[in-house]
Amino acid sequence: MFFICFSCTNEKVDTYSPTPSALQIPQLFGDKIINPVIPFDNPQTVEGIALGKKLFFDPILSADNSQACADCHKPENAFTDPDRFSDGINGTLGTRNSMPLFNLAWNYDEAFFWDGRAFSLEHQAFNPVTDPIEMASTWPEVEQKLQDHSEYPTLFNQAFGTSKIDSSLVTKAIAQFERTLISSNSKFDKYLLGETSLTPQELNGFNVFMDENRGDCFHCHGSENNPLWTDNLFHNNGLDAIITDLGLGEVSGDPADNGKFKSPSLRNLAFTAPYMHDGRFATLDDVIDHYSEGLQDSPTIDPLMKKVAQGGVQLSPQDKADLKAFLLALSDYEFINNPAFKNQ
Amino acid sequence: MNKIASIIFILFSLLSCSSDDDNNTVSFSLNFSHNWDGTPVTNADFNTIKFTNAEGDQLSIERLRYLISDIKLEKSNGETIIIEAYNLVDVTNNQNLIFSPTATISEGTYSKVSFIFGFKNEKNLDGVYPDLNTVSWNVPAMLGGGYHYMQLDGKFLNSSNMEQGYNYHAIRAADNPGANPTFPQDTFFEVNLGSVTISNNAVFNIEMNIAQWFKTPHTWDLNVLNQMLMPNSAAQIMMYDNGQNVFSLKSVDQ
């Protein structure tokens, strides 16, 4: 905490400068991929992150003070919701599965949500507060509640140098906290760093993942050279023959984008069931069966989907089991148990 | 990925000693355009079946990106400039269609200007270019690692008149996938743009005729060769053969 005090004539003015807190870039990320995106007008600071964390866990952001971001983005689930569709404050269910939150600063195109409709984390955070099926509040109401609160005005002053609370500062603080949610300590990461070894089953599963003749997952979901385990791009991975949720197509207006959704990261799958944008698959076995024999053809299906006419890549039972073992080795238990990410 | 500077290293090596230094230096860039047997193609033409290849297959393009590297300018006196940089031309997202190396060149007549399609083997090292890793441009280690040269993806109408995906992915041809793959022949190639006289800042307008990838010497039947071509070294060598006539220098603006 640094207070720089200087007096002009008779008045004493306290200028508060928050403490910079650079993102801790994990070794593999620093070695393999380019730097994360941090907007120049919202640098990471100790005070901003702490404030963002408090807001993230505080139901004050919802209309009836009953729901926090963390209710649909639970730390123990890698910040997603184990329910297929989340309950909003009014008990209304949405139509999309919540999304896990980690390594968000490495989403270089900054397109958030399943369909990419929000540009930047700061803008994304405006949405849930006013979404009628989520927190169903209004920003003037939230600003007023925070302003009247016993602690928040001071915390905003410490983070941003003003105790006048407005929505853009709320979203900036939340975004700072979200950028600190870094997951880089899975078993597979440790294997790459030479700190542990994989079982033969996990190794074969990795080969299935990388083999164009078997899983061919790497074209969209990364590899040992891309620790994000996603391309953060939008694809139709063959879920439906008839597309009802247009996904990216709704946002771009281009029918060629219908049924395209953001490739999720394959980190932390042990904690993030159910799977896909609508949470249709309860288990990883269901997901693997989908790619193996459940593909549905549609005009926008990605050309990278293989053997669509036969339903998919036709993995053997052994390869399926090994692929699953490999995928689970991308789960990061230190991440979900990190006290810095939990509500105290 | 828009914000990625496409060069992470520019080693600018001037391999000559005896050049007369009174020449002015100028900057230059490579401007890549695309056509299908003469009809211009941009990403606006993607996602609809509107092209017909030499075999008669009707097809669409949904994704096209390719890597070029090591631009070389040679003078008849032996003076040679090699710009050791690379550029990932991303037609799908309209990115890096113009590549402007930071290096400058001297005015005069170059007897040969060329670049490499893909990477030479000694540059094609596994995982070493963070910007290319970031856009998942890698080749699996079981096939020798390194990077793709090209990804051309789309759909074609198969013999039952159904749309089917194809992935025309060019990489270094490899056999015996696994811990110790072998490499039957090189499949990167030099694109020779011919002789060029530079008198000012210059833009090399380079054309890729996409149809050529399917044409000579191998008439490409998408019903036979459509997916899983990366581990198929015979298909990789056919891509290499067909690639020889894909690029041409249309003009130089200066």
Side-chain angles (χ1 to χ4, degrees):
Chain A
M1 312 268 149
F2 303 112
F3 285 91
I4 304 166
C5 305
F6 51 91
S7 42
C8 354
T9 56
N10 292 329
E11 264 171 5
K12 190 154 179 270
V13 180
D14 290 352
T15 306
Y16 188 82
S17 37
T19 320
S21 173
L23 273 195
Q24 298 298 310
I25 299 182
Q27 185 187 335
L28 282 174
F29 291 41
D31 288 351
K32 294 293 186 187
I33 53 175
I34 60 173
N35 284 331
V37 181
I38 302 189
F40 75 97
D41 63 348
N42 191 22
Q44 298 284 116
T45 66
V46 172
E47 295 77 6
I49 294 165
L51 171 59
K53 179 178 173 186
K54 187 174 168 64
L55 289 164
F56 189 88
F57 286 98
D58 195 337
I60 195 171
L61 297 183
S62 64
D64 60 359
N65 304 313
S66 69
Q67 187 170 57
C69 305
D71 287 335
C72 302
H73 298 284
K74 300 188 193 356
E76 63 272 27
N77 295 108
F79 292 91
T80 186
D81 189 341
D83 291 341
R84 178 172 182 188
F85 301 121
S86 312
D87 256 331
I89 64 157
N90 302 319
T92 334
L93 295 182
T95 55
R96 302 237 179 107
N97 185 224
S98 181
M99 302 176 81
L101 307 180
F102 52 80
N103 302 340
L104 298 173
W106 282 266
N107 180 352
Y108 302 96
D109 289 337
E110 296 183 74
F112 291 98
F113 285 127
W114 282 107
D115 54 14
R117 70 185 180 280
F119 176 81
S120 90
L121 276 178
E122 282 75 2
H123 284 114
Q124 191 285 329
F126 280 104
N127 292 268
V129 172
T130 56
D131 189 325
I133 60 167
E134 294 188 358
M135 302 164 115
S137 191
T138 66
W139 277 108
E141 204 175 279
V142 169
E143 287 165 353
Q144 196 56 54
K145 282 195 283 181
L146 292 170
Q147 199 72 65
D148 295 343
H149 191 271
S150 60
E151 296 165 69
Y152 277 115
T154 315
L155 296 174
F156 274 85
N157 192 34
Q158 289 172 353
F160 297 110
T162 170
S163 45
K164 167 112 188 50
I165 297 172
D166 75 30
S167 57
S168 76
L169 296 181
V170 174
T171 62
K172 279 185 173 180
I174 292 175
Q176 286 187 39
F177 170 63
E178 288 175 313
R179 290 192 175 96
T180 66
L181 303 175
I182 297 173
S183 169
S184 66
N185 293 315
S186 69
K187 183 177 184 190
F188 196 83
D189 295 306
K190 292 178 182 174
Y191 161 72
L192 291 179
L193 293 168
E195 295 166 7
T196 189
S197 50
L198 297 182
T199 65
Q201 188 175 25
E202 289 162 343
L203 278 173
N204 182 53
F206 177 53
N207 285 334
V208 173
F209 187 91
M210 296 301 291
D211 187 344
E212 235 202 359
N213 285 326
R214 291 191 284 170
D216 186 16
C217 315
F218 69 93
H219 277 110
C220 302
H221 284 296
S223 68
E224 78 277 29
N225 285 313
N226 186 330
L228 302 176
W229 300 99
T230 173
D231 58 4
N232 277 314
L233 296 177
F234 299 84
H235 305 274
N236 170 351
N237 66 342
L239 293 175
D240 293 302
I242 292 161
I243 287 159
T244 45
D245 186 339
L246 300 186
L248 179 64
E250 181 84 43
V251 177
S252 70
D254 182 350
D257 290 334
N258 286 354
K260 293 188 183 175
F261 293 88
K262 188 160 61 178
S263 318
S265 171
L266 301 185
R267 276 181 185 277
N268 298 320
L269 293 170
F271 324 121
T272 61
Y275 306 105
M276 304 297 168
H277 69 272
D278 55 3
R280 66 176 65 192
F281 295 134
T283 67
L284 272 184
D285 300 291
D286 296 342
V287 173
I288 292 171
D289 288 347
H290 162 73
Y291 285 110
S292 184
E293 50 265 341
L295 294 183
Q296 300 293 315
D297 202 1
S298 64
T300 58
I301 191 171
D302 199 286
L304 284 163
M305 291 289 109
K306 305 272 184 316
K307 302 185 193 161
V308 180
Q310 295 97 282
V313 291
Q314 317 284 324
L315 297 175
S316 69
Q318 189 63 55
D319 280 351
K320 283 186 181 180
D322 295 357
L323 177 58
K324 180 179 170 187
F326 159 70
L327 291 173
L328 289 172
L330 296 172
S331 294
D332 179 352
Y333 290 82
E334 288 170 35
F335 176 69
I336 61 160
N337 291 313
N338 189 336
F341 303 152
K342 292 198 169 157
N343 199 14
Q344 296 100 1
Chain B
M1 225 125 284
N2 23 15
K3 293 149 215 144
I4 303 168
S6 44
I7 323 161
I8 57 159
F9 66 93
I10 292 192
L11 295 172
F12 175 66
S13 44
L14 251 173
L15 301 177
S16 96
C17 331
S18 61
S19 63
D20 33 340
D21 289 307
D22 340 302
N23 278 339
N24 293 327
T25 60
V26 296
S27 62
F28 75 103
S29 48
L30 307 183
N31 177 18
F32 293 90
S33 336
H34 307 85
N35 68 75
W36 187 276
D37 282 337
T39 308
V41 174
T42 68
N43 61 356
D45 299 296
F46 284 15
N47 303 316
T48 35
I49 302 233
K50 62 191 289 189
F51 306 107
T52 306
N53 71 10
E55 174 70 24
D57 302 326
Q58 289 174 270
L59 63 136
S60 68
I61 300 172
E62 294 193 11
R63 197 179 290 121
L64 172 57
R65 43 184 195 163
Y66 56 92
L67 186 103
I68 63 107
S69 62
D70 284 4
I71 303 162
K72 195 165 162 191
L73 300 104
E74 299 166 61
K75 284 188 170 169
S76 50
N77 65 4
E79 188 183 321
T80 301
I81 300 167
I82 300 177
I83 296 168
E84 294 198 53
Y86 58 82
N87 180 53
L88 182 60
V89 180
D90 183 349
V91 185
T92 320
N93 298 303
N94 234 327
Q95 279 161 16
N96 300 337
L97 268 56
I98 297 178
F99 176 46
S100 305
T102 47
T104 54
I105 55 173
S106 59
E107 291 179 350
T109 297
Y110 291 87
S111 52
K112 179 176 167 189
V113 177
S114 63
F115 62 83
I116 299 295
F117 172 78
F119 270 133
K120 286 182 173 169
N121 299 336
E122 65 267 27
K123 302 277 172 63
N124 197 15
L125 304 173
D126 194 49
V128 299
Y129 309 115
D131 58 339
L132 299 181
N133 300 341
T134 299
V135 295
S136 292
W137 191 240
N138 308 79
V139 167
M142 62 177 75
L143 294 174
Y147 295 89
H148 282 76
Y149 301 162
M150 181 170 77
Q151 289 178 343
L152 168 56
D153 292 324
K155 310 258 173 68
F156 69 102
L157 287 182
N158 65 17
S159 43
S160 357
N161 214 33
M162 301 281 288
E163 285 190 19
Q164 187 179 332
Y166 72 86
N167 312 120
Y168 195 112
H169 288 200
I171 63 169
R172 182 181 188 189
D175 286 320
N176 305 309
N180 297 300
T182 53
F183 304 102
Q185 77 164 64
D186 288 340
T187 42
F188 71 86
F189 55 85
E190 182 190 83
V191 176
N192 184 348
L193 302 176
S195 158
V196 174
T197 300
I198 305 283
S199 56
N200 208 331
N201 292 340
V203 179
F204 293 79
N205 294 308
I206 297 162
E207 283 281 338
M208 177 200 269
N209 180 358
I210 305 165
Q212 281 290 358
W213 287 111
F214 300 95
K215 199 185 277 183
T216 32
H218 308 287
T219 308
W220 197 279
D221 184 351
L222 282 170
N223 281 290
V224 180
L225 294 171
N226 44 67
Q227 291 186 314
M228 292 154 304
L229 303 180
M230 292 174 71
N232 181 343
S233 63
Q236 291 304 325
I237 291 167
M238 289 168 69
M239 293 178 192
Y240 163 85
D241 291 338
N242 283 9
Q244 305 299 318
N245 299 307
V246 156
F247 291 98
S248 60
L249 180 64
K250 193 176 59 177
S251 60
V252 182
D253 298 338
Q254 51 187 335

